[in-house]
């Protein structure tokens, strides 16, 4: 049974999910398709029954199904894995491509738009089903938390809005939005497309971190906006791969809590280029070796 706990020293949240400890790990050779990969076409029976797919008819390009080893929600025996709020919810997997060797950075425009569109759609579907917040994310590489090397995203829903998201929303309102302010700073912007912009944050504990954001506020992102976001995200991941020799990374989608019509949808791209040491762990203060303005120049040139 998964259990929600709060660290009384720091107020940080965690979810104890013992079922996750037995999940399989297949990250040795992401370029090869292993026999029996549960996420590859032809092995659909190795996953729980699918929730949806795109397209709905014919061969799938993106496929969604419950996580067999969920952090929250029903377990393999159908029972709830949550002893207490806010761990209740759903945990879904989104196979973002049928190809075992095709990371998000390798997708064409249509494939990137379909993959990101499904991530957004599942967030909104879980909100509509009663979740207070749904977190969609991509873990690429073992250092970023991936246990299966077939490219995929995940979505985890909760019945409350976590502290980090609540804190972020205080600076992303219609009246005063930090992302909107940053979008007007030329030395911060590294690339754009109609309806989407890529920029570097003022300060980040993660070197080479980038934010890819919609240019408009709102709960949803239309088809054209989704394509722009997806293609720009794909191009940013390519630029980081070229600059940093294909690092592990996380992509975190913040589409706002349920009902947050004034949200500013965006994605955090977080390369895992360094690990925290004793000082960082002891103080909560990160030490970085380069300012965002330094890597912005190179990434801007690669995206141009």
């Amino acid at each position: 049974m998964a259990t929600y706990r709060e660290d009384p020293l720091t107020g940080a949240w965690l979810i104890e999910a013992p079922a996750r400890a037995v999940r399989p790990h297949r990250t040795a050779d992401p370029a090869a398709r292993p026999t029996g990969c549960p996420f590859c076409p032809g092995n659909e029976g190795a996953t729980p029954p699918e929730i949806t797919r795109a397209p709905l008819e014919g061969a799938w390009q993106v496929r969604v199904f419950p996580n067999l080893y969920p952090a929250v929600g029903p377990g393999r025996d159908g029972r709830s894995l949550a002893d207490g709020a806010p761990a209740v919810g759903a945990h879904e997997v989104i196979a973002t491509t049928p190809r075992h060797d095709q990371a998000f950075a390798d997708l064409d425009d249509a494939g990137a738009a379909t993959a990101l569109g499904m991530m957004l759609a599942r967030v909104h579907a879980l909100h509509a089903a009663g979740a207070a917040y749904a977190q969609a994310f991509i873990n690429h590489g073992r250092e970023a938390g991936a246990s299966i090397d077939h490219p995929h995203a995940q979505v985890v829903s909760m019945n409350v809005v976590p502290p980090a998201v609540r804190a972020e929303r205080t600076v992303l309102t219609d009246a005063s939005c930090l992302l909107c302010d940053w979008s007007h700073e030329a030395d911060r912007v590294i690339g754009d497309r109609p309806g989407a912009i890529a920029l570097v944050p003022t300060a980040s504990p993660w070197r080479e971190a980038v934010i890819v954001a919609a240019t408009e506020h709102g709960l949803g992102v239309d088809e054209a906006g989704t394509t722009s976001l997806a293609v720009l995200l794909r191009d940013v991941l390519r630029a980081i791969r070229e600059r940093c020799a294909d690092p592990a990374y996380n992509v975190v989608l913040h589409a706002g809590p349920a009902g947050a019509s004034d949200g500013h949808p965006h994605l955090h791209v977080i390369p895992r280029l360094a690990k925290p040491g004793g000082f960082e762990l002891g103080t909560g203060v990160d030490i970085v070796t380069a300012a965002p303005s330094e890597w912005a120049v190179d990434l801007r040139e690669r995206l141009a």
Side-chain angles (χ1 to χ4, degrees), residues 4 9 34 37 45 48 56 61 63 69 73 86 94 105-106 130 133 173 204 214 239 247 266 284 304:
Y4 157 71
L9 280 173
C37 169
L56 293 175
Q61 295 301 308
R63 183 170 177 266
Y69 303 91
I94 304 174
D106 300 313
Y133 179 71
T173 65
S204 173
H266 62 283

Side-chain angles (χ1 to χ4, degrees), residues 143-144 204-207 250 270-289:
E143 294 83 359
S204 173
W206 307 104
R207 189 163 61 86
N250 302 99
I270 305 169
R272 305 300 287 268
L273 298 171
K275 294 182 179 180
F279 178 83
E280 290 89 344
L281 295 173
T283 64
V285 178
D286 292 286
I287 299 174
V288 296
T289 57

Side-chain angles (χ1 to χ4, degrees), residues 54-257:
L56 293 175
E57 302 294 336
W60 60 268
Q61 295 301 308
V62 173
R63 183 170 177 266
V64 185
F65 44 90
N67 195 306
L68 194 59
Y69 303 91
V72 298
R76 302 180 72 183
D77 58 3
R79 294 181 299 175
S80 172
L81 286 180
D83 284 337
V88 296
H91 190 168
E92 300 177 356
V93 174
I94 304 174
T96 51
T97 171
R99 286 183 49 181
H100 193 87
D101 61 346
Q102 192 173 52
F104 200 100
D106 300 313
L107 297 173
D108 61 17
D109 291 6
T114 300
L116 181 59
M118 185 64 81
M119 292 170 66
L120 285 162
R122 292 314 303 159
V123 166
H124 295 153
L126 290 168
H127 286 172
Y133 179 71
Q135 179 63 69
F137 57 94
I138 297 171
N139 297 338
H140 174 82
R142 174 164 291 195
E143 294 83 359
S147 58
I148 297 290
D149 50 18
H150 189 113
H152 65 285
Q154 300 178 64
V155 187
V156 176
S157 67
M158 306 172 72
N159 66 358
V160 297
V161 181
V165 176
R166 292 203 311 268
E168 189 180 77
R169 278 189 50 75
T170 64
V171 296
L172 298 182
T173 65
D174 278 333
S176 177
C177 177
L178 197 58
L179 289 181
C180 290
D181 292 343
W182 283 354
S183 69
H184 299 298
E185 299 179 20
D187 60 344
R188 187 184 301 281
V189 176
I190 62 171
D192 59 26
R193 292 182 61 89
I197 194 165
L199 47 84
V200 295
T202 296
S204 173
W206 307 104
R207 189 163 61 86
E208 316 289 343
V210 174
I211 296 173
V212 181
T215 56
E216 302 292 334
H217 282 252
L219 179 60
V221 181
D222 63 20
E223 184 175 352
T226 298
T227 298
S228 286
L229 270 177
V231 172
L232 188 54
L233 171 64
R234 188 268 320 275
D235 291 347
V236 164
L237 292 173
R238 285 181 179 176
I240 291 174
R241 179 168 64 183
E242 293 171 1
R243 174 177 164 82
C244 305
D246 195 18
Y249 62 77
N250 302 99
V251 175
V252 178
L253 171 63
H254 282 174

